[in-house]
Amino acid sequence: MRYHTTLGPIRFKAFGVSFLLLGLALAMRIASTPTANLSYLVIAGYALAGRTHAIQALAVSWFFTMISPGIAPPATASSMGRYAVIFAAALSVLSRSELFRDGIRIQLATFVTLVLGGFFIVHAFFFSPMIDVSLLKAVSWTLTMTTLISAWSGLRADEREILSQQIFAGLIVLMLV
């Protein structure tokens, strides 16, 4: 616990900046259709800040996509915005990974997810009536899941605990609202 006491003010300041950026993105998503489209770019930029930010950005992207049209105006470019967030998060995690250090090294969970995603992609080619839609879903699922698994495994135990508490608290707030 010494880590939390010595770096408490630094963590609080970083959390405040993160909170402000995500709050800005939420305000943009709710305000109007043009700003709703830009909100995805804000969280895509936020995802580039690190592993924790990538996981948070993917969670916020999910929320922005699922938000009720009665609460927020439709984001006409939400499909492209979602993929911008996914690619930014993947780039952020890949740039911080140890994949290419001392040869190619990949974690078992990430490898299994890639194999499963490869199976979905091959399955889409042979059995899907709409190949392009199925391929897009399979590729985006594979990229998102490998990004999440890699980002989560790259975090220290204390960072995982803090992030899980933040996600849990966010889901509770979402449920209450």
Side-chain angles (χ1 to χ4, degrees), residues 152-167:
W152 186 262
S153 354
L155 295 175
R156 294 186 316 266
D158 61 327
E159 290 174 325
R160 285 185 198 153
E161 181 64 29
I162 292 168
L163 181 59
S164 65
Q165 289 174 2
Q166 288 173 349
I167 291 173

Side-chain angles (χ1 to χ4, degrees), residues 23-39 64 67 69 71-75:
L24 172 68
L26 178 61
M28 291 172 69
R29 177 64 181 93
I30 293 173
S32 68
T33 298
T35 59
N37 294 331
L38 290 175
S39 68
F64 282 5
I67 198 166
I71 296 173

Side-chain angles (χ1 to χ4, degrees), residues 64-86:
F64 282 5
T65 303
M66 296 297 151
I67 198 166
S68 170
I71 296 173
T76 55
S78 67
S79 298
M80 292 186 308
R82 249 188 356 241
Y83 294 115
V85 173
I86 291 171

Side-chain angles (χ1 to χ4, degrees), residues 25 29 36 41 46 51 61 69 77 95 103-104 122-123 128 130 133 135 169:
R29 177 64 181 93
L41 295 178
Y46 180 79
R51 290 181 175 117
S61 173
S95 69
I104 295 179
V122 170
H123 185 274
S128 177
M130 295 191 310
V133 173
L135 281 175

Side-chain angles (χ1 to χ4, degrees), residues 1-2 14 18 25 32 55 57 95 97-98 139 142 149 153 158 173:
M1 290 298 163
R2 187 172 180 184
S18 296
S32 68
I55 294 171
S95 69
S97 73
E98 298 179 3
V139 168
T142 304
I149 290 170
S153 354
D158 61 327
V173 168

